[in-house]
Amino acid sequence: MVLQFILGFLASFVAATPPGLLNLTSLKISLEKGKEKSYNFAFGVSIIIFFQTYFSLIFTNYIHSKSNIESSLQSIGVVLFSLLSIYFLYKGIKEKKTQKIKKSKIKNSFTLGLILASLNLLAIPYYCSVGAALKSYGYLDFSQISILIFVVGSSVGTFALLSIYNNSAKIIQKKIGLLARNLNIFLGIITGIIALIALIKRIN
């Protein structure tokens, strides 16, 4: 059970690491309104991540139960990790300048966290691909208890990463441009390698 929590934590921690709308908004709130407000935002985001991850794993489990073919999960993993690799590489190459955050009229940071996280549609295919890959390699079964522990881990991982952004806001603000380029390219390479490994296993 500890393994499921750690895997969920790492999956969400990695997903939330590259500078994007959620973590940069959290950083902005920390700089302008203080850490308390930014933690409220992070809490709102983490709640949505909880439900998005749960839905993703249930959906992946549904596909598996209908097809009843183990290779179907591997195929899903190949496609989704390939798409994620392309996305991260494109984003890493494109972002040559420091990202800017659009101003929001929503004053309640908790509500803002709920709304922005809900609009982050990439989270669902990401967790579907992670769940499919972990299942195919035997690291995650789709029992309710395993799913819940993984989901809790993913929610905690997101909150932990956003907390790092909040507490290191001034430092990250100065380094954010270089950080964004390096992390997105790095994640693009990693997800590409995972897709390749999954494809090789699928063929064999």
Side-chain angles (χ1 to χ4, degrees):
M1 297 304 176
V2 175
L3 176 62
Q4 280 77 32
F5 180 87
I6 294 175
L7 291 173
F9 183 95
L10 292 176
S12 64
F13 195 92
V14 169
T17 297
L21 179 61
L22 295 178
N23 42 34
L24 290 183
T25 300
S26 183
L27 182 148
K28 179 180 175 66
I29 293 174
S30 179
L31 290 171
E32 296 182 354
K33 299 182 179 180
K35 292 182 180 180
E36 182 179 351
K37 295 289 186 180
S38 64
Y39 281 123
N40 289 337
F41 175 83
F43 184 57
V45 172
S46 299
I47 289 177
I48 297 302
I49 291 297
F50 179 94
F51 290 106
Q52 287 177 331
T53 308
Y54 183 78
F55 171 80
S56 299
L57 295 184
I58 292 298
F59 177 71
T60 304
N61 185 36
Y62 173 78
I63 293 176
H64 176 251
S65 64
K66 286 296 182 181
S67 61
N68 200 29
I69 302 176
E70 187 70 17
S71 61
S72 65
L73 288 175
Q74 296 174 1
S75 299
I76 294 172
V78 170
V79 174
L80 292 179
F81 272 114
S82 297
L83 292 176
L84 286 171
S85 178
I86 294 172
Y87 169 80
F88 283 127
L89 288 173
Y90 172 77
K91 191 175 181 182
I93 295 172
K94 182 179 179 181
E95 292 172 349
K96 299 297 182 181
K97 298 180 180 180
T98 302
Q99 297 188 31
K100 296 181 179 180
I101 308 170
K102 296 181 180 179
K103 293 183 177 180
S104 174
K105 296 181 180 180
I106 303 175
K107 296 182 179 180
N108 188 299
S109 56
F110 174 75
T111 303
L112 181 61
L114 292 175
I115 294 175
L116 291 186
S118 298
L119 297 175
N120 181 29
L121 300 181
L122 182 64
I124 293 178
Y126 170 77
Y127 285 109
C128 282
S129 62
V130 169
L134 292 176
K135 170 63 179 178
S136 66
Y137 294 119
Y139 292 113
L140 178 68
D141 62 67
F142 285 133
S143 64
Q144 279 297 315
I145 186 64
S146 294
I147 289 177
L148 286 174
I149 292 175
F150 183 92
V151 168
V152 170
S154 68
S155 184
V156 173
T158 298
F159 187 85
L161 192 281
L162 292 180
S163 296
I164 292 175
Y165 266 83
N166 297 342
N167 289 302
S168 308
K170 293 183 179 180
I171 298 175
I172 294 176
Q173 186 184 38
K174 296 178 181 179
K175 304 292 184 179
I176 202 69
L178 179 62
L179 185 66
R181 292 195 298 272
N182 289 343
L183 282 174
N184 283 315
I185 291 175
F186 174 74
L187 288 174
I189 294 173
I190 292 299
T191 50
I193 292 174
I194 294 174
L196 180 61
I197 293 174
L199 177 60
I200 293 173
K201 184 173 181 179
R202 175 71 180 86
I203 294 175
N204 292 335

